Amino acid sequence: MISTLLIDDDANLRNGLKSLLERYAPDFNILGEADSVETGIKSMDALKPQVVFLDIQLADGTGFDILESLAKKHGQATSHIVFITAHEQYAIKAFRFSALDFLLKPVDPEDLEKVIGKIRSVVSKNEGFAHIDLLLENIRRKVDNFKRIALSTSEGIHLFEISDIVRCESEDNYTKFYIKNNKPILISKTLKEYEEMLGEHGFERIHQSHLINLSYLKSYIKKDGGYVIMSDGSHLPISQRKKERLQELIRTI
């Protein structure tokens, strides 16, 4: 059984989430509930749940306040956190860069099932919680030009400087990251997701299978249909519809 705590100031949402968990995750044992920052901190300390479903906006503060308090007390988080939010576009972006799970209100059963599946696969591994530290770092800075990204693999969570990512390559529904001074890392998310996340960080999609960091672009070769040479020595094709866009970007570098 996976010990679980619900923290939300809306009793109806807690009841609805309990019903969904009973239906889709009978192995999630709900140890208790909390409805505020104060009761949330006390409940997490006393119950030490493996998983916490945590609302962002609470009557007396935010879910981030709970994590900040526990981080100061214990040095790091000790539970797998699933955030629940109504909108909070900035926070959602921070979650994605921190490789953290979140659910939008009202909770969609299909989204919940996906999160439950992920939790089952990672909670027993007792992975580190450096990605929660990264989230709090981003929330504290209150800017959305994030410097680091957390990448979740079958081996665990890895944090990297975004500026060290040379390129990303699509492999079906996976994305392979090529990072300076590191071996390639395979992530179970599509290249499109990372195109959306990294587009504001100097990355450009040049082909259906390739997203590159323009900082590591060495040459643009027009012959043989057009391709680029990256700093890691890779030769990557350019799709026909991306050539004009890439040439415009190169002129501004």
Side-chain angles (χ1 to χ4, degrees), residues 97-111:
F97 273 84
S98 306
L100 285 160
D101 296 316
F102 65 92
L103 293 167
L104 294 175
K105 296 180 181 180
V107 175
D108 183 282
E110 193 172 307
D111 292 339

Side-chain angles (χ1 to χ4, degrees), residues 3-69:
S3 58
T4 306
L5 174 67
L6 310 182
I7 304 178
D8 196 298
D9 58 1
D10 185 335
N12 290 329
L13 189 140
R14 294 199 308 272
N15 290 333
L17 187 55
K18 277 195 294 185
S19 296
L20 288 173
L21 288 172
E22 287 170 2
R23 179 175 179 180
Y24 296 104
D27 53 329
F28 279 54
N29 177 31
I30 300 174
L31 300 178
E33 303 175 33
D35 60 3
S36 66
V37 171
E38 182 181 0
T39 58
I41 292 170
K42 289 179 179 177
S43 296
M44 286 186 71
D45 256 342
L47 300 174
K48 296 179 174 50
Q50 292 171 284
V51 177
V52 177
F53 288 86
L54 177 61
D55 189 16
I56 292 180
Q57 293 296 338
L58 299 167
D60 58 343
T62 71
F64 304 131
D65 295 330
I66 294 176
L67 297 181
E68 289 273 16
S69 176

